[in-house]
Amino acid sequence: PFDKITYLNVGNPQDLGQKPITFNREVLASCLTDDPERNRMIYSADAVDRADFYLSNINNRAAGAYSDSPGIDIIVKEVKSFIEKRDDVEVGEDNIFLTEGANEGITLMMRLLIREKSDGIMIPIPQYPIYSALTTKYNGSQVPYYLDENKGWGMSYEELERSYNEATDRGVNVRALVVINPGNPTGHVLTQKDLNKVIQFAHDKQILVLADEVYQRNIYVDKEFCSVRKTLSELGSPYNDHVELASFHS
Ligand SMILES: Cc1ncc(COP(=O)(O)O)c(C=O)c1O
């Protein structure tokens, strides 16, 4: 039905000429060289100051040294306060794990979840393809659930049920439900009401929620982003104590 295809190059904006955020690069470069005098001649003052703040919180100002596995402590603290401010919840530092981008976090979780062929991961269709790729790579079972184009690519509880039942009928042990919000490639933003249903579903089926929220700042419709974390805490007991959640952001 289409006369032409517009190449949007999903998830790769710099390839289309979008300029990267300079600040992050300057902070990183300043951390790695740790020569404030020289850096001040090249980079913006706020980037060099930020680098100095990080380095003064790292042992021996050694940004290249191995850190604890969950990441450099001062950055973990910044992530904690970001989530607390965003969601108005209390966050334990032990629940934060820094990775090299969201993909590494997703990969760690998928490796953890898939033990054998019968372990299934519920994946939205259409989706950001790492989920199907990793399910195949780790030799698990894909359990597709279809987003509804007529609802702007939203999800429905009935479709989740259909997909889950179809999988269990073929002997699959469903372990997790992937929710990409805002959606890639659809741009759909789930409401808190939608998320309540997702959480109820995960609770009923006792499966983990993998919430891919990397596009939380990229919203092009008149809706507000609400995290699964916030939805869980607002739903309260028994959901907040029982539903397991891993959220990804980068
Ligand atoms: C939905 C979604 N999740 C995760 C990622 C990967 O994020 P990162 O580049 O931080 O690894 C992408 C990148 O395109 C994405 O579209």
Side-chain angles (χ1 to χ4, degrees), residues 23 26-32 34 39 45-58 61:
F23 182 75
E26 292 192 349
V27 172
L28 196 58
S30 303
C31 279
L32 293 176
D34 193 17
N39 287 338
D46 55 348
V48 182
D49 289 346
R50 180 72 72 90
D52 185 56
F53 166 71
Y54 289 144
L55 290 173
S56 55
N57 280 283
I58 294 174
R61 299 178 70 89

Side-chain angles (χ1 to χ4, degrees), residues 115-231:
R115 302 159 303 182
E116 54 199 358
K117 184 70 192 154
S118 59
D119 284 337
I121 309 292
M122 291 182 73
I123 298 170
I125 305 291
Q127 49 123 14
Y128 167 59
I130 197 173
Y131 295 98
S132 49
L134 288 174
T135 307
T136 304
K137 181 175 176 188
Y138 296 127
N139 202 24
S141 295
Q142 290 181 41
V143 180
Y145 70 88
Y146 292 89
L147 303 175
D148 187 349
E149 185 175 1
N150 294 322
K151 290 189 193 150
W153 300 105
M155 58 198 290
S156 79
Y157 196 85
E158 294 72 34
E159 173 58 12
L160 291 179
E161 280 285 350
R162 184 210 59 76
S163 159
Y164 181 92
N165 291 336
E166 179 274 329
T168 46
D169 284 352
R170 61 183 158 97
V172 171
N173 175 16
V174 178
R175 306 263 292 156
L177 166 67
V178 175
V179 178
I180 306 177
N181 181 44
N184 175 6
T186 65
H188 182 81
V189 181
L190 293 170
T191 62
Q192 197 161 1
K193 221 165 115 194
D194 294 327
L195 292 174
N196 285 342
K197 287 192 191 154
V198 167
I199 289 167
Q200 276 155 8
F201 179 82
H203 180 260
D204 291 350
K205 309 298 186 205
Q206 299 192 356
I207 56 178
L208 182 136
V209 179
L210 296 172
D212 184 331
E213 298 175 335
V214 303
Y215 291 116
Q216 58 191 265
R217 301 279 295 274
N218 301 63
I219 295 185
Y220 306 104
V221 289
D222 191 18
K223 278 191 188 166
E224 258 184 44
F225 168 76
C226 180
S227 73
V228 178
R229 177 73 186 80
K230 184 181 172 83
T231 310

